[in-house]
Amino acid sequence: MLVFAAGLMVEGYTRGVLGENSSTEPSPGRHAAAAPAAVASGGPVIRMAGSGPRSYAMPARTVALTFDDGPDPTWTPKILAVLRHYRVPGTFFLVGAHVASDPGLVREELRDGDEIGSHTYTHVNLAPAGWREAELHRHKIQATFEPVSAKTQPLTTAWRKSPDRQQ
């Protein structure tokens, strides 16, 4: 059992996902900025690129299929098969360490017309982080996503497969 636990710790450390658990994340510090009113009272989809934060409301009778914290070598191919079967797009919020491990799955998501977004490199809570730490994570995830997606948009933007699907 000790050898098994040690193996899991080594794998978690080398993949950069050790302690990936939202229940252990600290709450935002006292210097954390409040969300702008346009975002707090807007729709559920937020785009951070450009002149500032912006919310988008979903069209009536629309459902967004979102999948978090992948890509996962077991579940992502199964999810992609179901999405392809029903010819519906999905949105995948990815952890950079997982992207580095399975870049082919991300390429497949983009090839199928799905959107991708970032859940940072190690799924860290950036709310209490200082600007230096946030910038470090931003650059690390950008360096991971660019070769996979062949896109150079800011990482806080959900990337799209084709220009005709822009927001």
Side-chain angles (χ1 to χ4, degrees):
M1 184 60 111
L2 183 60
V3 172
F4 179 68
L8 287 175
M9 294 278 291
V10 168
E11 180 182 355
Y13 180 77
T14 58
R15 287 190 59 167
V17 295
L18 188 63
E20 193 177 289
N21 181 346
S22 62
S23 68
T24 61
E25 293 179 7
S27 60
R30 60 185 173 98
H31 297 294
V39 172
S41 63
V45 179
I46 299 173
R47 181 178 176 155
M48 298 296 290
S51 61
R54 183 169 176 196
S55 291
Y56 297 88
M58 297 288 286
R61 302 178 57 85
T62 301
V63 174
L65 299 176
T66 64
F67 306 92
D68 292 0
D69 304 339
D72 180 86
T74 301
W75 290 102
T76 301
K78 294 174 183 179
I79 292 168
L80 290 172
V82 170
L83 293 175
R84 269 194 304 265
H85 176 78
Y86 289 100
R87 296 186 177 134
V88 295
T91 301
F92 293 84
F93 290 96
L94 309 173
V95 175
H98 299 302
V99 172
S101 295
D102 292 300
L105 290 174
V106 180
R107 288 186 190 102
E108 189 175 346
E109 291 167 358
L110 291 168
R111 190 173 43 248
D112 288 352
D114 300 310
E115 297 180 25
I116 62 171
S118 170
H119 268 193
T120 74
Y121 193 82
T122 59
H123 208 284
V124 67
N125 180 1
L126 292 177
W131 68 270
R132 285 187 182 109
E133 184 179 353
E135 278 297 298
L136 177 66
H137 278 276
R138 187 179 73 79
H139 288 294
K140 192 171 185 179
I141 192 78
Q142 191 73 32
T144 303
F145 275 49
E146 280 183 14
V148 173
S149 67
K151 303 279 184 184
T152 56
Q153 296 172 304
L155 77 110
T156 51
T157 302
W159 293 324
R160 302 180 185 289
K161 177 183 176 192
S162 61
D164 59 333
R165 294 187 62 205
Q166 296 297 317
Q167 293 181 357

